[in-house]
Amino acid sequence: MSNTKARMSCETKATEGSAVAFVHEDNGASYEGDPVIFNCVTYSYDNKTNALEDISLTVERGQYVAIVGGNGSGKSTLGKLVNALYLPDSGTVTVMGLTTSNEDSVFEIRRRAGLVFQNPDDQMITSLVIDDVSFGPENLGLPVETIKERAAQSLHEVGMDGFERRETYNLSGGQKQRVAIAGILAMNPDLIVLDEPGAMLDPRGRRGIIRVSHELNKAGVTVVLITHFMDEALLADRVVVVDHGKIAMDGTPAEVFVQHERLKELQLDEPFAVRLTAALRERGVYVPYTINENKLMEALCL
């Protein structure tokens, strides 16, 4: 189940990359390799207790990766290290070929790897939706017409057409989160990190944000979703479980979520199909573990 490209020993340099070239429309800079590489990364908030310890992880281009774990596991810290909001105490974080500890690279990293916070109010800059979405491209020094086009397209992509002149503080939580995502999209990123985007939303709002994230992924944007909702992680290409600052599990949803006993040890919620399978097996009804409810029904009908 372990992903050998994603999980390397700390004696091995994380230099392997894919043969795919990134070409960004703004500056024509190309990069051949994986969007995110953590190589033996350790980070501490107080220089005493490690929030993350010896993390080696590679996110490949075009992947939709869900990072899950309990409160205090280190999953949100990992997301902030990608965006260079935090810098590792040891090891290296490389984003789009740029090392986050290099001050000269931080601006470019944040342009190409957008971070959407759990609370959208934390990244609202202006009072009008259109101004907020335009803020990033304006800081890139882009032509006015290009800024307008990007802002309009980004709002369209997140389903916020017609909200351009609305005041941000009058929006619902889900609408604010969509505007925050639009602001990141207007920067034309190659990668988006979503840090528990549905934590403050109702189920309908959460579903809307997750749907948008998958649409962006289908359009070619690499997505890293940090979440404690297992139903969201089920839809990812890959699930990375973080526990006490270390990677505890790494694989496809089908590989990770069928491990009933291990999930119990990590105190993580299980998909409904896995919970039901475990309950049936405890009562003597042997069916194979699966994350798919339809497959479980088929097994019961045999």
Side-chain angles (χ1 to χ4, degrees):
M1 186 190 75
S2 61
N3 185 317
T4 56
K5 192 174 184 182
R7 299 287 307 279
M8 296 172 286
S9 70
C10 286
E11 287 76 29
T12 304
K13 296 296 182 181
T15 56
E16 182 184 1
S18 67
V20 180
F22 289 73
V23 180
H24 199 281
E25 67 179 46
D26 290 335
N27 54 20
S30 63
Y31 164 66
E32 295 185 358
D34 297 302
V36 179
I37 301 173
F38 278 64
N39 188 30
C40 308
V41 171
T42 294
Y43 178 81
S44 170
Y45 288 98
D46 57 8
N47 295 319
K48 296 179 182 178
T49 304
N50 290 333
L52 292 175
E53 184 174 351
D54 288 337
I55 294 287
S56 289
L57 173 73
T58 297
V59 175
E60 299 175 16
R61 184 193 185 217
Q63 274 193 327
Y64 192 114
V65 180
I67 310 291
V68 302
N71 291 334
S73 62
K75 60 185 186 296
S76 288
T77 302
L78 192 150
K80 292 179 174 64
L81 282 161
V82 171
N83 196 246
L85 286 177
Y86 298 157
L87 300 178
D89 296 333
S90 63
T92 57
V93 179
T94 306
V95 180
M96 307 306 299
L98 304 170
T99 305
T100 60
S101 56
N102 182 349
E103 290 185 9
D104 294 335
S105 299
V106 172
F107 180 85
E108 182 68 4
I109 287 171
R110 290 178 180 167
R111 182 176 71 82
R112 302 184 73 173
L115 173 63
V116 178
F117 293 102
Q118 180 181 132
N119 185 349
D121 288 327
D122 290 341
Q123 60 192 107
M124 292 291 173
I125 305 296
T126 66
S127 60
L128 289 181
V129 167
I130 190 64
D131 293 340
D132 202 83
V133 176
S134 300
F135 183 82
E138 287 174 352
N139 279 275
L140 295 178
L142 299 177
V144 173
E145 286 305 312
T146 300
I147 294 171
K148 289 181 179 179
E149 289 173 4
R150 284 202 183 185
Q153 179 62 27
S154 297
L155 286 170
H156 173 71
E157 289 179 359
V158 299
M160 291 291 284
D161 298 287
F163 283 77
E164 291 83 356
R165 308 307 299 179
R166 292 278 294 274
E167 295 174 325
T168 54
Y169 59 82
N170 281 332
L171 300 177
S172 69
Q175 290 169 341
K176 287 181 179 179
Q177 200 65 282
R178 287 172 183 251
V179 171
I181 294 173
I184 297 298
L185 290 180
M187 301 279 282
N188 192 30
D190 300 286
L191 164 75
I192 290 182
V193 179
L194 301 166
D195 186 5
E196 301 200 51
M200 303 179 67
L201 305 180
D202 60 23
R204 181 180 178 184
R206 278 203 301 119
R207 288 193 297 269
I209 294 302
I210 296 304
R211 182 174 62 251
V212 168
S213 71
H214 281 279
E215 289 171 354
L216 295 175
N217 183 242
K218 289 177 182 177
V221 178
T222 303
V223 176
V224 175
L225 171 68
I226 298 165
T227 182
H228 62 270
F229 293 110
M230 297 305 113
D231 58 331
E232 296 176 355
L234 273 175
L235 302 175
D237 299 323
R238 176 179 166 201
V239 177
V240 177
V241 180
V242 181
D243 181 58
H244 291 92
K246 296 183 177 182
I247 295 178
M249 303 173 76
D250 184 355
T252 66
E255 291 170 332
V256 169
F257 288 121
V258 296
Q259 298 193 49
H260 172 65
E261 294 301 326
R262 183 64 174 135
L263 292 173
K264 284 177 63 178
E265 290 174 8
L266 296 170
Q267 298 183 324
L268 293 178
D269 292 334
E270 297 168 304
F272 172 75
V274 175
R275 295 199 308 272
L276 181 55
T277 300
L280 289 169
R281 289 165 72 115
E282 287 175 1
R283 289 162 176 77
V285 181
Y286 182 82
V287 286
Y289 278 109
T290 178
I291 63 172
N292 189 302
E293 295 175 22
N294 289 331
K295 288 184 178 180
L296 177 57
M297 291 176 62
E298 290 174 3
L300 290 171
C301 292
L302 291 177

